[in-house]
Amino acid sequence: MTILTETESGPLVLSREQIEELGRELDELRAAIVADLGERDREYLYSIIKAQCGFEIAGRGLMYLGFLPPFWLAAVAALSVSKILDNMEIGHNVMHGQYDWMREPGLNSRVFEWDTVCPADQWKHSHNYLHHTYTNIHNKDRDIGYSVLRMDEAQEWNVLRLGQPLYAFMLMMLFEWGVMGHDLEVEKIVRGERTWPEIEQLILGQWRKAGKQVLKDYLVFPALTGPLFFHTLAGNAAANLVRNVWAFAIIFCGHFPTGVQTFTEEETADETRGEWYIRQMLGSANITGRKLFHIMAGNLSHQIEHHLFPDLPASRYPEMAPTVRALCEKYGLPYNTGTLGKQIGSVWKKIFKLALPPRWVKSEPSPGVIVMRQRKASEAGV
């Protein structure tokens, strides 16, 4: 196998030996981190959980003063931070199995539940298994546009795509509900390819989990504040909205900025360990920022490192990033990173551009990667 990488300075060919050597170097990086896991990681997770609980208690308590606008805004802010930490730095990472080695019963990926309407078991199937196994492979990774958006030119255009910016906006505002429905594969239900017996347990699971969340945020806690019922209800809804918008931004910036690559099933058939690593590096993107920003992003601002090592504690990604970036430079591979403004601007530009018929849009060639299998460099015309 040969991988032909087209960069701004021209095409680059990686030999089979180079690809496997890159894989070995990434395995060594992983082994070094695994050998160093311990009290530091345990204390970090406990500190995040402590902070999350503190923000939730503060947010719930401030709702009792919600008749005063400054306290209502402070309550929403505290509750929003609590939900973001719960979903991104705790829930997402714990359910990836990043802390299973601690053998802490409540923080094990098999039992953990998070503060969102999507049942943990369904998210782990659609995200941990399907997305992280088949990252950016067309017809296998349903996260390429989440079956709603056209986020790659290889996806077919039809007239319904014209509404894509509106669909993206609605998905952003209702993100937790979109994540909940993802494992249903609604497009297959519409085409008659999934029957009721196949989705019955999924729907029952969603009904139970979403019911608990709705009861908690929109009935029980508002009722506990008595005459401030509607103030609290509105505050809880606002906190969920803030979490939805933030999670949408971080996740879309990690997967859809310009330069992120997609692949065909043919290109990835019989993939080796080194080839799998390269697909993860080319199929994701990072966001630059300070330490607090990375914590609030669940360290998914290091999406490249997350896709390379999804079961290692995300708090370790910042210290792994320089090595990963150096390896990309060593082998001539792109390391897609930028500020939040740059990456989110690129994402929304793509959403609007790919909503239009291809013949209306001027093609803008960008550095990309062509995966060539069972061919020699000379056969690729290089």
Side-chain angles (χ1 to χ4, degrees):
M1 172 190 174
T2 300
I3 288 182
L4 172 65
T5 304
E6 185 176 339
T7 67
E8 293 178 349
S9 58
L12 171 83
V13 175
L14 292 183
S15 67
R16 174 191 292 271
E17 290 72 23
Q18 287 176 304
I19 294 168
E20 298 315 311
E21 177 59 23
L22 171 59
R24 282 190 289 274
E25 291 179 89
L26 288 169
D27 279 341
E28 290 175 3
L29 175 60
R30 172 189 172 79
I33 295 297
V34 169
D36 191 46
L37 292 179
E39 197 59 27
R40 167 186 158 195
D41 305 275
R42 189 189 306 271
E43 290 302 318
Y44 175 81
L45 181 60
Y46 288 157
S47 70
I48 294 296
I49 293 173
K50 184 178 179 181
Q52 181 269 322
C53 290
F55 278 110
E56 178 165 13
I57 292 170
R60 302 293 184 195
L62 285 167
M63 287 294 179
Y64 286 92
L65 298 174
F67 60 93
L68 299 171
F71 287 95
W72 186 86
L73 290 172
V76 170
L79 204 52
S80 300
V81 171
S82 166
K83 287 177 177 288
I84 288 170
L85 289 175
D86 175 276
N87 286 188
M88 304 189 74
E89 185 65 319
I90 303 171
H92 173 277
N93 296 335
V94 167
M95 290 191 293
H96 259 294
Q98 295 179 3
Y99 295 95
D100 283 0
W101 56 270
M102 288 170 49
R103 301 187 182 281
E104 182 92 31
L107 297 173
N108 190 285
S109 61
R110 288 174 296 180
V111 300
F112 191 87
E113 267 292 350
W114 53 352
D115 184 10
T116 182
V117 295
C118 182
D121 60 332
Q122 295 184 30
W123 178 84
K124 284 185 285 188
H125 175 255
S126 63
H127 181 83
N128 285 11
Y129 172 60
L130 290 178
H131 174 56
H132 275 275
T133 303
Y134 304 111
T135 306
N136 285 19
I137 301 177
H138 284 285
N139 301 319
K140 300 192 83 169
D141 182 6
R142 298 180 61 255
D143 280 25
I144 305 176
Y146 304 101
S147 304
V148 177
L149 306 173
R150 181 173 181 247
M151 298 303 296
D152 188 88
E153 291 184 1
Q155 291 173 292
E156 185 179 354
W157 183 88
N158 59 54
V159 69
L160 294 177
R161 300 294 190 188
L162 291 172
Q164 176 161 291
L166 176 61
Y167 311 152
F169 177 77
M170 294 303 296
L171 179 61
M172 177 177 68
M173 304 300 280
L174 301 170
F175 195 62
E176 65 170 326
W177 296 94
V179 172
M180 184 190 77
H182 195 42
D183 210 30
L184 281 177
E185 302 187 50
V186 174
E187 72 280 8
K188 289 186 178 180
I189 298 174
V190 172
R191 294 197 299 263
E193 296 173 4
R194 295 200 85 180
T195 61
W196 172 252
E198 293 177 297
I199 62 172
E200 181 181 8
Q201 292 305 314
L202 294 177
I203 290 179
L204 288 174
Q206 292 174 6
W207 175 261
R208 286 191 291 267
K209 182 66 194 297
K212 290 179 182 175
Q213 289 295 118
V214 170
L215 188 68
K216 173 174 71 72
D217 278 343
Y218 303 124
L219 184 61
V220 174
F221 277 110
L224 289 174
T225 56
L228 297 178
F229 181 93
F230 289 107
H231 289 78
T232 305
L233 187 151
N236 291 349
N240 281 325
L241 178 64
V242 171
R243 182 270 319 280
N244 287 347
V245 172
W246 180 252
F248 173 95
I250 296 300
I251 292 168
F252 270 59
C253 286
H255 295 90
F256 303 122
T258 299
V260 169
Q261 305 293 296
T262 60
F263 307 86
T264 66
E265 292 183 65
E266 180 187 16
E267 289 170 336
T268 56
D270 302 320
E271 203 172 46
T272 67
R273 177 78 169 167
E275 293 163 359
W276 183 88
Y277 273 136
I278 289 179
R279 176 161 57 84
Q280 305 304 321
M281 297 162 83
L282 299 175
S284 50
N286 283 6
I287 315 169
T288 57
R290 297 182 181 275
K291 183 176 181 180
L292 180 59
F293 170 79
H294 293 308
I295 291 173
M296 293 302 293
N299 276 295
L300 297 178
S301 42
H302 293 93
Q303 195 69 228
I304 296 172
E305 289 71 26
H306 174 57
H307 267 272
L308 290 172
F309 312 107
D311 60 343
L312 293 185
S315 60
R316 293 293 193 132
Y317 297 154
E319 68 183 82
M320 302 173 82
T323 302
V324 174
R325 186 166 191 159
L327 288 172
C328 284
E329 292 173 357
K330 175 181 177 181
Y331 291 96
L333 294 166
Y335 187 82
N336 192 334
T337 188
T339 63
L340 179 63
K342 175 193 171 189
Q343 301 293 54
I344 198 68
S346 171
V347 167
W348 278 101
K349 180 181 178 182
K350 182 182 287 187
I351 289 171
F352 276 90
K353 176 183 174 183
L354 295 184
L356 300 173
R359 64 179 181 278
W360 291 9
V361 180
K362 182 180 179 181
S363 179
E364 297 179 7
S366 58
V369 173
I370 303 170
V371 179
M372 308 190 70
R373 305 187 67 85
Q374 308 301 326
R375 298 181 68 184
K376 297 178 180 177
S378 58
E379 294 175 317
V382 180

